[in-house]
Amino acid sequence: MESKEISQAVISRLPRYFRYLGDLKDLGVERISSQELSRLMQVTASQIRQDFNNFGGFGQQGYGYNVEYLYQEIGKILGMDKTHHLIIVGAGNLGQALGNYMNFERRGFILKGIFDKNPDLYGKKVREIAVQPMEEIEQFVKENEIDIAVLTIPKNSAVQVAEILVANGIKAIWNFAHVDLNVPPNIQVENVHLSDSLMKLSYNLERANKENK
Amino acid sequence: MESKEISQAVISRLPRYFRYLGDLKDLGVERISSQELSRLMQVTASQIRQDFNNFGGFGQQGYGYNVEYLYQEIGKILGMDKTHHLIIVGAGNLGQALGNYMNFERRGFILKGIFDKNPDLYGKKVREIAVQPMEEIEQFVKENEIDIAVLTIPKNSAVQVAEILVANGIKAIWNFAHVDLNVPPNIQVENVHLSDSLMKLSYNLERANKENK
DNA sequence: TAGATTGTTAATCGATTAACAATC
DNA sequence: TAGATTGTTAATCGATTAACAATC
């Protein structure tokens, strides 16, 4: 039971810190102050210190932060020290693209299964993992310890499939379907609504065009 | 020159309104009040009215909002009444997946070119569009009216390619590369950092696991 | 010790929610 | 007209920034 609830605004910034710290580490930088990091990342030093202090003091007065240590700690907070097993539901272009993306595996996200309802795809391999019929999914999820389901199926079937997954014990869904899922509050959902993102870009493009006239 | 700057928080919500209104329209619903929409979308009626009123009054006291009209207006705000020409830079799995995604075309986002530096991919077709060598990109962008460049290339080349695109007149970048681009402020960038999103899910999963123990 | 920089409290800013007068 | 619901102002809440005492 966690006492202090940390805002999603803070959480959303952690992966970016993690990325910059990883780069600094690779560059051999040993320590960094909130001010230097602030210049690098274009956010205020105040915000950096506030963000880190949500999780306890990682720094040292007069010194700053040890890059390697901070990197490790943020990694732990994000669960990067653990292995996660995932399945991909929907073996279309996007599902395959995500499955083939090596970097996820490097971070401990291991692809365990991939499913589709299209028989033409059965047996097709995505990184050694053969596409299985959708019907197998319940059994598979029950028998294997799956942490995360990646939903890359059309919106009309997404809600129903999500319910099946939840009923069989899935605790987290990475949702690429363009629809809001209706799941119990203890199930974690992270939405990636690509067309929403593209529309936002379209709006900003439009607005910038208008301003420059 | 726009007078009132509308916050990105509001803009980010518009595509979701657009989606719900589209669904309502398809269901034949003619009018809706902020309260009904509030229940449907799980946001406050107050926020709905505030959001819409950033762009002028779309409703009518005592009646509510006309679904069709509101849908059209939000569509216009998002630039959905216009055609956008885009190119995809990076013809890997993700680039191809995005290129093949039909729904973007339905919304007026027309794929005009696709580029990669891997010669094995030259000539490969993604929806009638043949992959071209990366070297062609400058000329192509100059000669064709391209609005948006979709970056689906590895992080190490992304920053440099973005600079080339900007130098040749690209005004908006949809960035899937896991790196922050450094472009002038009049260039619009929308980032889709998939691994950031997955890490956030990982954090929330972790936290939920702890709480339930 | 003096200087640097964190951790943390206080002040500010912006976004969300509530309330209600205007009006269809 | 009475009822409903917007548009909009005011109140609240939360997130960001500033300031500074603690401390390495």
Side-chain angles (χ1 to χ4, degrees), chain B residues 22-41:
Chain B
D23 290 348
L24 285 166
K25 186 172 74 81
D26 292 346
L27 254 60
V29 178
E30 207 172 273
R31 70 179 175 115
I32 194 160
S33 69
S34 56
Q35 199 184 114
E36 288 171 287
L37 195 56
S38 151
R39 263 193 299 264
L40 206 60
M41 296 184 64

Side-chain angles (χ1 to χ4, degrees), chain B residues 68-135:
Chain B
E68 172 79 40
Y69 174 70
L70 188 56
Y71 175 78
Q72 295 297 338
E73 289 302 311
I74 294 181
K76 277 187 216 163
I77 293 166
L78 290 169
M80 293 302 102
D81 56 336
K82 302 232 168 61
T83 293
H84 296 93
H85 292 171
L86 43 86
I87 56 168
I88 292 176
V89 188
N93 282 296
L94 185 56
Q96 289 183 38
L98 293 172
N100 280 312
Y101 190 54
M102 278 290 181
N103 278 356
F104 293 147
E105 192 143 315
R106 240 191 53 222
R107 288 271 175 246
F109 297 96
I110 313 291
L111 181 61
K112 287 302 211 177
I114 179 160
F115 301 85
D116 204 288
K117 66 171 209 282
N118 179 358
D120 295 350
L121 292 170
Y122 298 168
K124 174 163 187 168
K125 288 207 172 170
V126 177
R127 294 243 246 121
E128 309 298 301
I129 307 286
V131 176
Q132 297 179 65
M134 208 64 134
E135 291 76 41

Side-chain angles (χ1 to χ4, degrees), chain A residues 42-69:
Chain A
Q42 306 281 10
V43 295
T44 64
S46 224
Q47 181 165 78
I48 292 172
R49 294 203 299 278
Q50 287 277 24
D51 282 352
F52 294 168
N53 272 82
N54 279 297
F55 306 95
F58 295 143
Q60 197 172 318
Q61 280 103 328
Y63 172 88
Y65 299 89
N66 179 285
V67 171
E68 172 78 40
Y69 174 71

